[in-house]
Amino acid sequence: MLGVIAAMVVSMSATVFAGPSIGQIIPEEPQIVSTNVPEGAKLVVSTIDVTDEKTLDNYTSNETVKTLLKTVNDEETKPTIETVKEVLKEMNVEDVTNVETKSGEKVDLTEYKFTTPFIDIAEQIGDQITYKTNGDLEVKVKIDAAKEKKAEDLLLMLVDPETGKVVFITIDEIDPVTGELKVTLPFLGAITLLDKSAVDENEIETQTTDAGAADTETAAE
């Protein structure tokens, strides 16, 4: 009897602490809007398992990308931009308070909050998976965390798992009822949704202060 109870407890614990499924984050497959894609191409999404080293090694050989993915996808912590500031600096994001988006806008990342773990979005043609695109790719993707949000409050962080390149994507269009976003991506890879409206003023002040203090210490050294 005790063995049965123990098994039930383990089963319940696994259910409670399991990370969100891809369907909970992106309830439907993204749709390609662009016409500059090969015939039969489609977009596929999946979660990124950062707990299994072999799986992560198969996904990326870039150690900095691994560190970023592990930090943001850690289910036991609540990562902030300040948490990943040093990792982003290694990825050529020098100043998180003054970042240029792909569309040329300047944003302060400390005003944003991670609302999803990194998930993988790739192009599939038959059995082949690729992250490279033939120029900019317009896509529509439904993200549950984008429901009842405004386009101006959201950013996508996109990371190339092969090169480690990071870009920040503004939202072209949004359906706040379904959470469907229309975005223009220069390549595919790991994406996470950042939300400005999810951060309160105290969090912004703390992150900005911490970022400034860290930069001052670095300069002093």
Side-chain angles (χ1 to χ4, degrees):
M1 184 67 179
L2 289 175
V4 173
I5 295 174
M8 290 175 63
V9 170
V10 171
S11 176
M12 290 172 63
S13 298
T15 301
V16 170
F17 293 107
S21 68
I22 191 63
Q24 292 173 302
I25 304 168
I26 298 180
E28 298 178 17
E29 285 189 355
Q31 302 298 311
I32 299 174
V33 178
S34 300
T35 57
N36 58 330
V37 294
E39 184 177 353
K42 66 176 183 178
L43 295 178
V44 291
V45 291
S46 61
T47 55
I48 301 173
D49 185 0
V50 298
T51 62
D52 185 272
E53 289 296 335
K54 288 185 178 179
T55 301
L56 192 56
D57 286 343
N58 288 334
Y59 182 69
T60 177
S61 60
N62 189 303
E63 294 300 324
T64 308
V65 172
K66 289 179 187 178
T67 300
L68 179 65
L69 296 179
K70 285 180 178 179
T71 304
V72 175
N73 287 24
D74 187 340
E75 298 165 19
E76 297 182 359
T77 63
K78 294 183 178 180
T80 64
I81 292 298
E82 177 60 26
T83 308
V84 298
K85 185 173 82 78
E86 293 304 318
V87 181
L88 289 175
K89 187 172 289 188
E90 292 181 36
M91 303 170 83
N92 297 319
V93 181
E94 295 294 335
D95 182 3
V96 293
T97 65
N98 185 29
V99 172
E100 186 171 336
T101 67
K102 183 181 178 297
S103 57
E105 299 178 29
K106 292 295 182 70
V107 296
D108 181 350
L109 294 183
T110 63
E111 296 180 351
Y112 292 80
K113 190 172 187 175
F114 291 105
T115 61
T116 69
F118 272 108
I119 63 100
D120 180 60
I121 180 169
E123 184 178 274
Q124 182 176 358
I125 308 169
D127 296 331
Q128 300 297 313
I129 295 290
T130 181
Y131 296 105
K132 294 179 173 61
T133 59
N134 183 23
D136 287 347
L137 191 67
E138 287 188 349
V139 307
K140 287 184 176 180
V141 54
K142 289 183 180 178
I143 301 180
D144 196 66
K147 289 180 179 178
E148 300 181 4
K149 300 296 183 178
K150 298 178 180 178
E152 58 266 28
D153 288 333
L154 303 176
L155 278 179
L156 277 183
M157 183 190 298
L158 171 63
V159 180
D160 187 320
E162 297 171 353
T163 67
K165 182 177 181 180
V166 182
V167 293
F168 296 89
I169 311 293
T170 52
I171 310 304
D172 298 331
E173 298 176 11
I174 184 173
D175 182 337
V177 176
T178 64
E180 183 177 78
L181 308 177
K182 182 179 179 184
V183 292
T184 304
L185 307 178
F187 53 84
L188 300 171
I191 62 170
T192 181
L193 184 68
L194 303 176
D195 181 8
K196 183 188 291 187
S197 68
V199 183
D200 62 37
E201 290 299 322
N202 289 334
E203 286 181 289
I204 294 174
E205 184 177 349
T206 299
Q207 288 199 72
T208 304
T209 301
D210 290 346
D215 289 340
T216 300
E217 289 178 6
T218 302
E221 293 175 358

